[in-house]
Amino acid sequence: MDDKTQEVRATDYDVVVAGAGPTGLMLACELALAGTAVLVVERLPEPDRTIKAGAINAPSAVAFDRRGLLPAMAAVQERRLAEVTGFLRTHAPDGLDRKNAPKFAGHFAGIPLYGDLLDTSDPDFAHLGPAGDVGLVPQADLELVLLERATALGVELWRGVELEGFDADDAGVSVRTSRGTVRAGWLAGCDGGRSTVRRLAGFDFPGTAPEITGHQAVVELEGAEALGAGWQGTDTGIYVHGPFPGRILTVEFDGPPADRDAPVTAEELETSLRKVSGADVRVTAVHTATRFTDNARQASTYRKGRVLLAGDAAHVHSPFGGQGLNLGIGDAMNLGWKLAATVHGTAPEGLLDTYTAERHPIGAWVLEWTRAQIAVMRLTPHAQAMRSVVRDLMGTVTGTTYFVKKILGVWQRYDLPGDHPLTGHSAPDLVLADGTRLADHLHDGKALLLDLGAAGPGLPDRAEGFGDRVRVVTARCTSHPGLAALLLRPDGFVAWATDSDDLDGLDAALGQWFGAPQPRGASSTTAAE
């Protein structure tokens, strides 16, 4: 629309998503995949290339695999690994045998973790499939992949448009933007840590105030040879150099920035880097830069009537470990199918409320995880003493495995009813007899009743009446011969499972997640023998 005052018809959109970052785009993709009319409103005129999170965790990689996006993520990782290799070739310490050097497996509070101490036999690492090999996907690159996906799915995106206000009632939301007013059934605030949607809707946002000042940037440096590679602690702070050319990060512990919103200048970055490193360096150009703090807050609920929050709009914290990006992707995967079912009128009572119930505890854990890192990064004698203890623990196989599992998110599960060990967990990536993997059967975003041949001939009949809400796949499994059947939600989490012909609990699980069966429809069945 060219006329900024023109009104859009009230029935044009089921959902308006505020924000076209990774969370907003992922949510829009999930909604569009489920046949929901969605509009994304983004204030920035172009995709944000500001340096932010540098990697995705296991649940995010698995989610992308389940939607057919893993090859695109792997291509990004390959390009980034080439940059990292080039950086290490130039900046790694003399004498380092790079071929045999231990694999970097992440960090906690800047203390590195190495793969040679990782117990890879731990069952929590098993069955990720190819997703377990993809992680180095920076946020800006991820956003471009999701933008391409959203475009392919027909998502409408308004760029350079401000969300100015909204009025919500029992029937929907009237959203006022700088391009006009739209009427939608729902409004999803994915508009970042300073969310306009959260503020205007009046969500409670308790937490702890910021106490540090951090910078992250990609710059051109003179005197870079005086900087150590990787995470470095000093008497005046912490800095990071690498793992690709020009990337720096600094942390100062003498309070939050005076003006969080001021543009980040080369002078500011140079002053901070000189202070914490003690090196005679000069920042000659800034390609991308951001300023951050350890402000840690979380909305008490992620839903108020017709308004929902996801990603940084629902929770903020320090960026260490890149947990915020992954929390947002998880929020979008959890919310998307539930909101779409609500829009289509097929959701059972209370389904949308399970979004907060399932995602809030994981967000709360991340806030505590990031606060703990700040506590052992401080420069006080007590904090440094605790840091020494943590470093010793991290230098053991048990310690490394514990920390890597937490960072990768392989521990994440939802508290769902049922006694089977898989219930509530993200499904393992089963290898099927026809050469396909379980993830290949989840690209369409449908729920899946997987008949592995040992649950009896009546299993597919249980999905009768759910139409295309629950798709039945009959297969043989070569990787998990003990499993008889699984019911997967659209996000890939196990709602029900059995190792025998006992189907007790299946009907209850179908009703809990997908509502009442309709006599007019039947599930479509796919053979994958």
Side-chain angles (χ1 to χ4, degrees), residues 312-323:
D312 288 350
H315 36 69
V316 296
H317 49 80
S318 71
F320 300 123
Q323 296 285 345

Side-chain angles (χ1 to χ4, degrees), residues 30-100:
E30 289 295 290
L31 291 168
L33 191 63
T36 304
V38 56
L39 168 68
V40 179
V41 177
E42 169 56 52
R43 64 178 181 82
L44 296 178
E46 300 292 339
D48 188 5
R49 301 298 295 170
T50 303
I51 183 170
K52 294 179 181 176
I56 58 175
N57 66 3
S60 294
V62 168
F64 297 137
D65 192 16
R66 288 171 176 164
R67 296 301 185 255
L69 294 173
L70 196 64
M73 302 300 170
V76 170
Q77 176 172 269
E78 184 175 358
R79 294 195 303 270
R80 289 298 187 173
L81 281 174
E83 295 179 354
V84 171
T85 300
F87 174 83
L88 292 177
R89 187 175 294 117
T90 304
H91 295 90
D94 292 340
L96 174 64
D97 184 347
R98 300 178 187 88
K99 182 177 180 181
N100 297 315

Side-chain angles (χ1 to χ4, degrees), residues 110 230-240 276 379 384 387 391:
W231 285 83
Q232 306 288 329
T234 72
D235 292 339
T236 52
I238 291 175
Y239 76 94
V240 184
V276 299
L379 306 178
Q384 290 301 301
R387 185 178 184 85
R391 187 189 299 275

Side-chain angles (χ1 to χ4, degrees), residues 153-208:
L153 289 171
V155 171
E156 187 171 355
L157 171 59
W158 288 359
R159 282 205 172 274
V161 175
E162 295 276 356
L163 188 151
E164 298 175 338
F166 58 86
D167 297 300
D169 53 48
D170 291 341
V173 187
S174 296
V175 183
R176 299 187 299 278
T177 80
S178 57
R179 188 171 172 175
T181 298
V182 300
R183 179 72 176 174
W186 301 84
L187 171 62
C190 304
D191 49 343
R194 300 178 216 183
S195 168
T196 298
V197 173
R198 184 187 67 233
R199 175 175 55 82
L200 293 179
F203 281 87
D204 191 25
F205 203 48
T208 52

Side-chain angles (χ1 to χ4, degrees), residues 55-74 77 103 124-137 326 408-410 426-431 437-440 442-443:
I56 58 175
N57 66 3
S60 294
V62 168
F64 297 137
D65 192 16
R66 288 171 176 164
R67 296 301 185 255
L69 294 173
L70 196 64
M73 302 300 170
Q77 176 172 269
K103 181 182 178 181
D124 283 340
F125 293 125
H127 317 309
L128 292 174
D133 297 323
V134 177
L136 187 60
V137 182
N326 295 293
L408 286 183
V410 295
S426 180
D429 189 38
L430 306 180
V431 178
R437 298 181 295 109
L438 181 57
D440 298 329
L442 292 168
H443 290 183

